[in-house]
Structures are given as C-alpha cells and as structure tokens.
C-alpha cells in the first residue's frame, strides 16, 4: 500500500502524540503510520491532517481525531484472521487502519456520497480486504453474516441486542454510547460462553447514529 509523503518530522510528532495518549500496541501504531490521513480529509484541512483533532467531512459528518481512532482500534484487538464490521464508514480512514490489522473488513455507510468516495480512496490505497456497503447501520443486512469484531463510529443510545447477536463467540464490540447532547462513553463488549462482559472505557463525543439510508446524498 502507498505510504504518506508527509514530512517525517510531522509524522514522528504524530506517533509521539499517540503514545502520549496511551496507545502502545505496536501493530496499531504501525497501521496509523502507514495510512496517509491527509488523503481522507478535505483539501482545505490537509495542513491539519496530523493534528490530534476531529475534522469535518461531507454530509455533516466528521473524521475522528487520530488518538480516538487509535484507541478504539487498540481496544478492538483485531487479528489477521478476524472478520471485522465497521458501522459508519465516513471518509474511510478507520476502515483503512483496520485493513492493516484484520483479515477482512466490511464497512457500512448510510450516505451514498461518503460510501462512493471512501470506496475510491480505499481502492487507490490498495485496501483489497475492505468491502464498502451502502446500508442502514442500525439494521445490518442479514446476508453480511457474523463477525469477530464490530466497531461503531457513531453514538448509540444503547447497544442493540441484534448487533451483539452478530458477534462470533469471544467476539468484541466497541461503540460510543450515550445521547447526542449529553455525556457519551466508549463501551467495550466481549461475548463469552457465560454471557456478555461490558466495560466503560473513556468519555467521547461522536455524532449520533441515524437509521435508514440517506435519501438526498
């Protein structure tokens, strides 16, 4: 896959910032280094591509700050033999990071424009193990099957049982949970033989998950 041509000093600062934020998984750090974030932001925001800030993208959505992307990815604990579902493709940046860590990635987006542009970016980068699906992330199509890992990149009021049911045994789901205008927590679920273990990790702020496929774009 092509790597970023961003100035090495800025990329080094980027990696140091992630480590200072507590990200320590070397595979995740390598994936974050290898994915050129500047290709996933608007042209006018490229000077800020490696700052630890969220940036606006099309359709009123955002690309999360790198430290949050790295932390969520680390909590997912993806392995090369895992099949991963991402709900909320956005720019495609998170899917590109996951493509370096998982065997197969299915990413679902409700906005046609975002899905098409993410598909183009991922193809340009050679992310052949990523499938972009235009679908309702709140009602995953049955034909997509089950997954070892599920990552949600929009805030849910709570995690639906139907989504937990898509996890394979010992599967992990990571999602922001909480109201649009109130406190949200990043939640990690692990499916065990005895049930589901739930842990609240950090406070976060995400746009809300919306149902249906967007009609206008």
């Amino acid at each position: 896959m092509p790597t970023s041509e961003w100035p090495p000093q800025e990329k080094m600062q980027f990696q140091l910032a992630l480590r200072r934020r507590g990200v320590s998984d070397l595979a995740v750090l390598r994936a974050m280094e290898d994915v050129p974030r500047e290709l996933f932001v608007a042209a006018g925001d490229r000077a800020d591509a490696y700052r630890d800030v969220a940036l606006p993208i099309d359709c009123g959505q955002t690309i999360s700050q790198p430290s949050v992307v790295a932390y969520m990815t680390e909590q997912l604990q993806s392995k090369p033999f895992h099949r991963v579902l991402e709900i909320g493709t956005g720019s495609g940046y998170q899917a590109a990071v996951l493509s370096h860590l998982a065997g197969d990635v299915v990413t679902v987006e409700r906005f046609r424009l975002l899905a098409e542009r993410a598909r183009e970016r991922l193809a340009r980068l050679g992310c052949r193990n990523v499938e972009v699906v235009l679908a309702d992330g709140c009602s995953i199509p049955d034909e997509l099957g089950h997954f070892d890992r599920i990552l949600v990149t929009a805030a849910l009021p709570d995690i639906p049982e139907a989504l937990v049911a898509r996890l394979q045994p010992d599967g992990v789901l990571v999602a922001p949970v909480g109201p649009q205008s109130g406190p949200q927590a990043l939640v990690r679920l692990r499916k065990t033989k005895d049930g589901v273990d739930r842990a609240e990790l950090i406070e976060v702020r995400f746009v809300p998950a919306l149902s249906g496929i967007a009609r206008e774009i």
Side-chain angles (χ1 to χ4, degrees), residues 85 87 137-142 145-147 150 156 158-168 173 189 191:
L85 171 66
I87 298 175
C138 295
S139 182
I140 300 300
D142 290 342
H146 290 75
F147 299 87
I150 298 176
L156 299 167
D158 206 349
I159 300 174
E161 287 298 324
L163 191 56
V164 178
R166 292 303 188 97
L167 281 175
Q168 298 281 16
L173 184 154
L189 302 184
K191 196 172 191 178

Side-chain angles (χ1 to χ4, degrees), residues 121-147:
R121 292 187 189 101
L122 293 163
R124 196 182 321 144
L125 289 174
C127 300
R128 296 182 179 86
N129 61 337
V130 180
E131 178 185 3
V132 180
V133 178
L134 179 67
D136 180 358
C138 295
S139 182
I140 300 300
D142 290 342
E143 60 267 24
L144 293 183
H146 290 75
F147 299 87

Side-chain angles (χ1 to χ4, degrees), residues 33-48:
E33 182 176 12
D34 288 343
V35 175
R37 191 170 187 258
E38 68 272 19
L39 299 185
F40 293 87
V41 303
D45 290 324
R46 285 184 180 166
D48 295 322

Side-chain angles (χ1 to χ4, degrees), residues 45-71:
D45 290 324
R46 285 184 180 166
D48 295 322
Y50 290 97
R51 291 182 58 214
D52 194 28
V53 294
L55 295 169
I57 59 173
D58 293 317
C59 307
Q61 305 301 296
T62 59
I63 176 173
S64 296
Q65 64 193 84
S67 62
V68 172
V69 172
Y71 182 79

